[in-house]
């Protein structure tokens, strides 16, 4: 199970500028397309910066070129990145849009806060239902009543006891990747630690090791 990726939300038809674009032309692009920022790309479509209305305000002039005032390095995100990663970048850098790039940093799209809100505007009850059904019932085949699932503003708390330690790992990992989940607070315990070999397995392993050391 995978969370929605940026590639599924991004807009592919992107208005761009190049470093030599006059600032006056950039302003015209902002107005014509009703955007507040543009990726700046080189001749190979690699993102080398971003020009925003804020950059123009700080410059206090419409003379010069985009390359002289653009913000560098550009904050970008990969198309296969999960939505929470893009949301974190927008919040950390206090920006409204993210250029989306491929493995060679070539522009393939753009994602804005509006697109991300389509994922995060999910009710806590909807998220809780998805966790119960997709994680515990369908995947782990665990009675969901054995686990207390609480969700508040996208923050999930899982409390209870599962059979195996590996089940806890799966539950946390899958829940984290569900759309709308901001973070997961793990309060789960387990009955069996299956991350270590059982005594019989350890004995068999030691036997093989001893034979190898003796040159058997």
């Amino acid at each position: 199970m995978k969370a929605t990726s940026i590639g599924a939300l991004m807009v592919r038809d992107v208005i761009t500028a190049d470093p030599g674009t006059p600032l006056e032309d950039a302003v015209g692009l902002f107005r014509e397309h009703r955007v507040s920022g543009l990726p700046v790309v080189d001749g190979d479509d690699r993102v080398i910066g971003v020009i925003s209305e804020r950059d123009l305000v700080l410059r206090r002039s419409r003379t010069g070129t985009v390359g002289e005032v653009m913000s560098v390095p550009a904050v970008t995100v990969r198309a296969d990145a999960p939505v929470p990663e893009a949301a974190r970048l927008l919040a950390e850098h206090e920006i409204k849009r993210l250029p989306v790039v491929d493995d060679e940093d070539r522009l393939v799209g753009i994602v804005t806060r509006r697109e991300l809100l389509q994922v995060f505007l999910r009710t806590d009850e909807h998220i809780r239902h998805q966790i119960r059904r997709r994680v515990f019932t369908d995947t782990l085949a665990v009675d969901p009543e054995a686990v207390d699932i609480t969700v508040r503003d996208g923050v999930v708390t899982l409390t209870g006891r599962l059979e195996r330690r590996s089940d806890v790992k799966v539950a946390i990992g899958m829940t984290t990747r569900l759309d709308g989940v901001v973070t997961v607070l793990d309060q789960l315990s387990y009955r069996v630690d299956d991350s270590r070999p059982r005594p019989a397995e350890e004995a068999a392993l030691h036997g093989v090791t001893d034979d190898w050391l003796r040159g058997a």
Side-chain angles (χ1 to χ4, degrees), residues 38-163:
L38 300 171
V40 183
V41 298
D42 62 15
D44 294 320
D45 280 337
R46 289 187 173 87
V47 180
I48 58 175
V50 173
I51 178 72
S52 68
E53 292 176 339
R54 180 181 179 184
D55 295 320
L56 297 177
V57 170
L58 293 175
R59 173 71 181 237
R60 297 182 180 180
S61 171
R62 292 189 181 178
T63 61
T65 65
V66 165
E68 296 173 30
V69 300
M70 67 182 182
S71 297
V72 293
V75 180
T76 63
V77 68
R78 297 292 175 87
D80 59 355
V83 168
E85 180 178 333
R88 176 180 57 79
L89 289 172
L90 289 174
E92 285 183 359
H93 296 277
E94 298 182 349
I95 53 181
K96 299 178 181 179
R97 60 191 63 236
L98 277 173
V100 185
V101 299
D102 62 15
D103 292 340
E104 296 181 351
D105 292 327
R106 291 189 175 91
L107 184 69
V108 294
I110 197 162
V111 66
T112 68
R113 289 179 180 177
R114 182 175 59 184
E115 284 85 37
L116 296 184
L117 283 175
Q118 295 175 6
V119 172
F120 280 100
L121 288 180
R122 298 171 184 260
T123 66
D124 289 342
E125 184 56 33
H126 174 79
I127 296 171
R128 182 173 181 273
H129 174 74
Q130 290 292 298
I131 297 170
R132 284 170 57 89
R133 180 175 64 83
R134 299 176 66 179
V135 177
F136 292 100
T137 301
D138 294 350
T139 302
L140 293 176
V142 172
D143 180 1
E145 298 301 327
V147 179
D148 183 27
I149 306 168
T150 60
V151 186
R152 184 172 183 178
D153 297 330
V155 177
V156 178
T157 303
L158 300 179
T159 307
R161 189 182 190 190
L162 300 180
E163 178 66 15

Side-chain angles (χ1 to χ4, degrees), residues 191-207:
R191 193 180 70 83
V192 176
D193 185 355
D194 57 349
S195 64
R196 298 180 179 180
R198 288 172 293 185
E201 294 172 339
E202 289 181 343
L205 179 62
H206 285 309

